[in-house]
Amino acid sequence: MHLVADEEESTPSYMPPWTTPYIIGVGGTSGSGKTSVASKIVASINTPWTVLISLDNFYKPLSAEERARAFRNEYDFDEPQALDLDLAYQCLLALKEGKKMTMPVYSFVHHNRVPDKSITIYGASVVVLEGIYALHDKRITDLMDLKVYVDADLDICLARRLSRDIISRGRNLESCISQWEKFVKPNADKFVKPTMKNADAIFPSMSDNSIATKMLINHIKSKLQRKSQDHIDKLVQLGHETIPL
Ligand code: CTP
């Protein structure tokens, strides 16, 4: 590890072992199990400076009138425009370039960004970005090294979403079903499912997907090992000494 001077703020900062992070995108319809796949990746790759980012942090802030509509279930959170994908791209680009980035924190209970709260990340070796539109914007997918689409039947997604939204997002059954029929399902068919074609791998979201999980993790581990070895080779070429582990 090297200590380098940060030009912008002229304070010392740590340089991660790789200069560009390995970025993994995890997309799929709402309730398909993206969070669980993304968390499994993070837990299994055993790589320092791994960060998991949810695209949910990038829902746009709403005006008072829009918030009132959201509480009446008349606001569409499932069209791509509901998310600030420009900001998500800027944040991911900053990480790709090894720079610091700051992103908002979102509250599903208040349908808004949490005031005076943000998350700052000072660079990463591995970034996992999960969200319904993780594989939608070409600027974002172009930054990714691996794109995974989590595939589940929409009725299974609805069942998962109902319990999750009622328990963790402060919703009731009637509003969940109405939101699903009005916005979630039509947008899933129109915008989310087509992002499957942008994926490198389609991950089956069913009760026993242990073989698919193992294959996915092994693939990522081998890519990270290669990246790490390339970095070591580059350092050796530059005349740096490496420390045997
Ligand atoms: N959403 C909402 N209220 C908001 C903002 C978003 O109900 N104020 C909903 C949208 O309807 C969208 C969903 O949040 O469909 C996106 O989150 P989702 O993909 O369901 O959650 P994750 O945990 O990221 O994914 P998964 O369930 O696949 O693990």
Side-chain angles (χ1 to χ4, degrees):
M1 187 185 297
H2 305 264
L3 269 177
V4 293
D6 183 329
E7 278 173 22
E8 218 177 86
E9 296 173 5
S10 71
T11 49
S13 60
Y14 288 102
M15 191 172 82
W18 308 323
T19 45
T20 55
Y22 185 82
I23 302 184
I24 303 166
V26 180
T29 55
S30 172
S32 58
K34 301 176 293 298
T35 312
S36 133
V37 173
S39 306
K40 267 187 205 154
I41 294 173
V42 172
S44 312
I45 58 173
N46 198 19
T47 303
W49 297 293
T50 293
V51 292
L52 172 53
I53 297 176
S54 171
L55 207 51
D56 294 343
N57 287 303
F58 296 92
Y59 274 106
K60 287 180 184 162
L62 302 186
S63 66
E65 187 272 326
E66 287 169 327
R67 258 163 51 84
R69 276 202 282 135
F71 280 109
R72 292 198 305 271
N73 262 316
E74 289 164 9
Y75 187 90
D76 187 351
F77 287 104
D78 286 82
E79 56 173 4
Q81 293 90 319
L83 287 156
D84 190 344
L85 293 175
D86 292 340
L87 181 63
Y89 166 67
Q90 293 302 337
C91 288
L92 205 62
L93 179 66
L95 289 179
K96 189 80 180 177
E97 292 176 344
K99 294 180 187 155
K100 164 185 163 185
M101 74 86 156
T102 298
M103 65 180 175
V105 176
Y106 192 75
S107 161
F108 284 94
V109 175
H110 298 104
H111 295 298
N112 225 339
R113 289 187 180 160
V114 179
D116 305 321
K117 256 201 175 172
S118 58
I119 296 172
T120 297
I121 299 173
Y122 292 94
S125 287
V126 180
V127 178
V128 184
L129 176 74
E130 71 84 16
I132 55 174
Y133 288 118
L135 307 184
H136 173 78
D137 186 312
K138 187 168 179 332
R139 294 168 306 166
I140 293 177
T141 54
D142 279 350
L143 295 173
M144 291 172 176
D145 298 278
L146 178 67
K147 299 176 281 286
V148 180
Y149 184 93
V150 181
D151 191 27
D153 281 351
L154 280 182
D155 39 0
I156 293 176
C157 295
L158 171 62
R160 286 192 187 135
R161 196 178 144 112
L162 287 180
S163 50
R164 193 260 330 264
D165 281 4
I166 293 167
I167 293 166
S168 333
R169 295 187 179 176
R171 313 286 167 87
N172 62 51
L173 183 63
E174 204 184 31
S175 77
C176 289
I177 292 177
S178 143
Q179 188 186 7
W180 176 267
E181 283 173 354
K182 253 196 281 183
F183 301 120
V184 187
K185 188 172 182 298
N187 281 302
D189 287 329
K190 191 171 172 191
F191 294 115
V192 185
K193 283 186 187 172
T195 68
M196 194 191 281
K197 70 177 184 312
N198 303 332
D200 302 304
I202 316 278
F203 188 90
S205 179
M206 47 198 196
S207 52
D208 183 11
N209 49 18
S210 54
I211 293 179
T213 306
K214 219 177 264 174
M215 286 169 75
L216 179 66
I217 302 293
N218 284 345
H219 173 81
I220 296 171
K221 279 183 173 170
S222 75
K223 292 287 173 189
L224 295 179
Q225 224 157 11
R226 182 71 260 157
K227 202 168 158 66
S228 182
Q229 190 57 49
D230 286 350
H231 184 69
I232 291 169
D233 292 348
K234 218 183 280 171
L235 287 178
V236 170
Q237 267 177 21
L238 291 170
H240 290 265
E241 274 183 37
T242 57
I243 304 161
L245 294 175

